[in-house]
Amino acid sequence: MEESQKKSKKTEDLQKRAEEMGIPILQHIPKKIDQGVVTLIAEEVSRKYGIVVFERDDSKQRISIAMQDPHDIDALNILRFLAQKEKYEIDIFLASEETLERLASFYRSAEQAVESAISALDEDEEVVKKKKKDGLGINDENLQDAPVAKLVQVILRHAIDGGASDIHIEPIDKTYRVRFRVDGVLHASLTFPLEVGRAVVSRIKILSSLKIDEKRKPQDGRFRIMEKGNAVDFRVSSLPVVEGEKVVMRVLEKDKQNFDLKALGLMGSQKEVFLEHIRDPFGMILMTGPTGSGKSTTLYAFLKILNDEFGNIVTLEDPVEYFIPGINQSQIKPEIGYNFASGLRSILRQDPDIIMVGEIRDAETAELAIHAALTGHLVFSTVHTNSSIGALPRLRDMGVEPFLIGSSVRVIAAQRLLRRICEDCKEVHEMPSEIVTRVNEFLKDIDPEEVKKYGIDLSNGPVFYKGRGCEQCGNLGLKGRIAIYEVVAIDSELEELIVNTKGDVIALEKRIKEKGYLNLKQDGLLKVLLGLTTMSELERMTEGMALIGGNIEELDERDFEEAAADAGESS
């Protein structure tokens, strides 16, 4: 609240100053600024005097300047000199400090940093050749100069500014390619020569305290940087590949991570089921889904709710992604024999109330977790399966008896992540009549009370939305992600069915459907009708959507793949 008040006060002060001086305020920053325009004023001069050129109109012989202090005599003298030199008229706009900082970012793009690094390496080319000729050899350490260090900084900064969750740096066809994963989709960003790529990989390995001369086997590490006053962690994984060494970095921004259940996508009865059972004195809550579907984030959200001084919460993770004060988080180290099973044994001697096991992978871990849930502990964990009920045969395969599963598991939930519609350009989207008809048919299987809990009004029929495409979302119409869930509470009836049918999936799915639990598709459809995501996104992330309307992409007025191409996206 205080932050918004400060922001409002700054805006009022800026407007007041603009009115007093009769100067317009720069309201909207251009999406792209030509390098030839912004560099009309040197970067050092720009930062010192708070002035940036952001637009040039050759037809009218005019340039537009953003200034923080139009009364600064030295800055005005620089502009006067610029006007005489370029023979252009100057339009001055008043800008806030934040706006100028964003404009200044156009001075140095990632492409420029690459060119700088290559240029610096080219200058040393003769030295490199001489070393090779003399038999002295050259390795990646010789290339750890300032340009390469700056290039790594630029890559990291672009990932943070672009909201990337992962950075891929990989050798391909005698070059190195950098790709950013944004909202679950990989975007090709940069390419540079093999020698520069090797230097970048070595630089990252040094930052992560990895062995730079070890290129035969995978390594894992971690490092932290400070970006605009916020700590950002990077979880690093190196992997030997045919053409060299690939590095993937997971971007972990603690301050931007939202553990609010509604923001994550938990709504209606699904949220009620979780809130009821995460406070059980004992039992197990399982999250299922593929890698990168947000399972750990949902579990962190539950732990944050339960985190108080009266309980001892201990986690066993591989690796620890987000550090939460007040929770005892431990990272496994298989290379020294500290795995999930041995770690869980140790945790049980730490007098825990709540335990989170990052993943149940083997029979020993499964057995220990089940017994912990039966002996007075609340256990949270994950299993890699395609559906919620799919966790039951997975546990059976690990040797867990059905009666132990039925008596220990309280909730099983499946999860997927869908891209959100951009809130800045969201608009109503007219769907073909056949799609509307099939959606109405599909809605008949959903309890009307559940629809009300989601806050959806169907009195005038279903309403669909899409993103028109704007500067904020890179003309994709999609920005951010939201989870869809399939949450099943194991009551006495389902427990009995698990034991009697020995975990038969078909029988359980039939009974779950009769009990009115939402599956992933139904939860996703309700979120489509809320305007949170699109039908095409729902089809992309869930199978069998033909029962709603066939190939939605063909019927959708907006082809998101074309929009991605327009925005320069490659996945």
Side-chain angles (χ1 to χ4, degrees), residues 6-116:
K6 286 180 183 178
K7 192 174 180 180
S8 177
K9 181 71 167 59
K10 283 183 180 180
T11 304
E12 288 176 10
D13 291 344
L14 194 69
Q15 290 173 341
K16 187 176 179 181
R17 286 176 57 207
E19 289 172 5
E20 289 173 355
M21 293 183 285
I23 297 174
I25 297 174
L26 180 58
Q27 302 280 10
H28 302 290
I29 297 174
K31 184 183 175 184
K32 289 185 179 180
I33 300 178
D34 186 84
Q35 291 294 316
V37 172
V38 74
T39 53
L40 285 172
I41 296 176
E43 183 176 0
E44 295 78 8
V45 175
S46 169
R47 291 188 180 277
K48 183 176 180 181
Y49 296 103
I51 50 178
V52 180
V53 184
F54 65 90
E55 195 172 59
R56 176 171 62 187
D57 189 337
D58 291 325
S59 63
K60 297 180 181 178
Q61 293 290 103
R62 304 188 76 85
I63 54 177
S64 298
I65 306 278
M67 291 187 73
Q68 189 174 349
D69 183 9
H71 286 154
D72 187 331
I73 300 300
D74 291 332
L76 291 172
N77 285 335
I78 291 168
L79 295 184
R80 193 175 294 112
F81 173 76
L82 179 66
Q84 291 173 354
K85 178 186 173 185
E86 299 293 332
K87 295 182 172 52
Y88 271 60
E89 294 291 323
I90 292 179
D91 295 325
I92 295 176
F93 291 79
L94 186 63
S96 64
E97 186 179 348
E98 292 80 5
T99 300
L100 281 171
E101 186 63 34
R102 288 176 63 190
L103 286 170
S105 67
F106 286 98
Y107 271 102
R108 189 170 185 83
S109 66
E111 289 80 2
Q112 285 179 301
V114 172
E115 289 173 9
S116 175

Side-chain angles (χ1 to χ4, degrees), residues 255-275:
D255 293 333
K256 287 191 176 180
Q257 188 62 39
N258 192 341
F259 295 125
D260 176 70
L261 295 184
K262 187 174 181 182
L264 291 175
L266 269 174
M267 302 176 184
S269 297
Q270 296 183 328
K271 183 178 179 180
E272 292 170 3
V273 167
F274 270 130
L275 290 179

